[in-house]
Amino acid sequence: MTDPMLPLPGLSPVCGKAVVAKFDGGLLSSDGGVLVLREVEQRLRVADRLAACMVDPRAPDLITHTLADIIRFRLLMIGAGYEDGNDASSLRSDPMFKMALDLSPSDRELCSQSTISRLENLPDARALLRMGRAMVDLYCESFHKVPKRIVLDIDDTFDAVHGGQQLRLFNAHYDEYGFQPIVVFDGAGRFVTAVLRPAKRPGGKEIRAFLRRLLWAIRANWPNTEILLRADSHYCCPEVLDWCRAKGLDYILGVAPTPTLRRHIESLEAAAKARFEAAPKDGKVRRFKEFLDGAKSWSRVERIIARVEAGADGPDTRFIVTNLKGRNPRVLYEDVYCRRGQAENHIKSSHGEVCVKGEIQSCMSQTPLAVSVSEV
């Protein structure tokens, strides 16, 4: 019988010892870390949670790969850096991925790319909303006890695409096509939720609808927990301010500078600039001022805090709006608002996946997802 695994002949000896190369190693894989991800997924039951949100239309007696197994395979692929569903064509026979799905390396192959594509087009808008709530439930269950207060940092990020994906738009600021998902972390850096959306600035009605769904999911777990919403000026719109007040949420949001706001701090800017110029070696001069004012589109005046800074590059003024009471303006700006910068760091560190449990929801579907963006 001919042996197909013949050794490679003619290799030069090393230190007087023969070198023999053979190709009989069997099934090999470089993705050993998948088994660690498997333990995490088994503990959190992400795949089972998401599968329970969908209705499987297939005949039960003809099913080889359950919805949970397909989602689990997709999750592990993303976690291992294989974001494209086409990678399933080669990974379906990978021994490590098989073991991660409770199969031995010699067992049947995992699901194919076409099966994954059918799954990603299966959920409708309601299923996607249920999946979003399931992820918020998972966030709430990560706490050992119900917190008295949480901080929600909401922001968006740009995710470039390199194909004709639905929802993609050209963003002039980034000069390329992509998505602009909304991402939410809490003040301690825990991922809360994300929603895939076109690469354009979200409007007030869209943000309000997103926050309404998020608050409903959190309140279903923690009806009495106090919530502070923290975000930059993109999210400071009349719809959000009115909604936060109506729902009893605290907020601290950036405000884009306007001529009306700047009139309140003209003298303070001049004083800070003069003080810096008198003693530039002492470093930048920072001053704070609070006042009541509001945009024409706002339903009422709000508490505005201005941070005025003068340095070698000239004056730099920032504004924030908040309904928090009784705190020093400097403390509110430096110790409360500025901490939202950590959320930007979390987004950067997890960019491209945001989080494994967030990415699988983002992957879920083409047209149904476009519907869910407008309804979330």
Side-chain angles (χ1 to χ4, degrees), residues 155-225:
D155 204 352
D156 49 71
T157 183
F158 183 77
D159 186 12
V161 300
H162 306 285
Q165 293 94 327
Q166 293 187 18
L167 299 184
R168 74 167 191 155
L169 282 180
F170 183 80
N171 189 295
H173 177 74
Y174 296 97
D175 196 29
E176 57 184 329
Y177 285 90
F179 304 129
Q180 194 163 331
I182 296 176
V183 186
V184 181
F185 287 87
D186 72 3
R190 298 182 182 90
F191 175 82
V192 181
T193 190
V195 61
L196 191 68
R197 53 180 307 282
K200 61 180 181 179
R201 179 175 174 175
K205 293 182 179 179
E206 180 184 354
I207 298 171
R208 181 181 59 190
F210 172 75
L211 291 174
R212 184 176 64 246
R213 298 284 186 181
L214 176 58
L215 179 65
W216 185 92
I218 293 176
R219 290 288 188 230
N221 291 275
W222 302 332
N224 300 317
T225 296

Side-chain angles (χ1 to χ4, degrees), residues 54 118-128 131 364-365 368-369:
M54 293 182 283
R118 285 190 291 270
L119 168 75
E120 293 179 349
N121 285 276
L122 174 61
D124 58 11
R126 292 184 179 275
L128 287 168
M131 293 166 70
M364 284 295 176
S365 196
L369 183 56

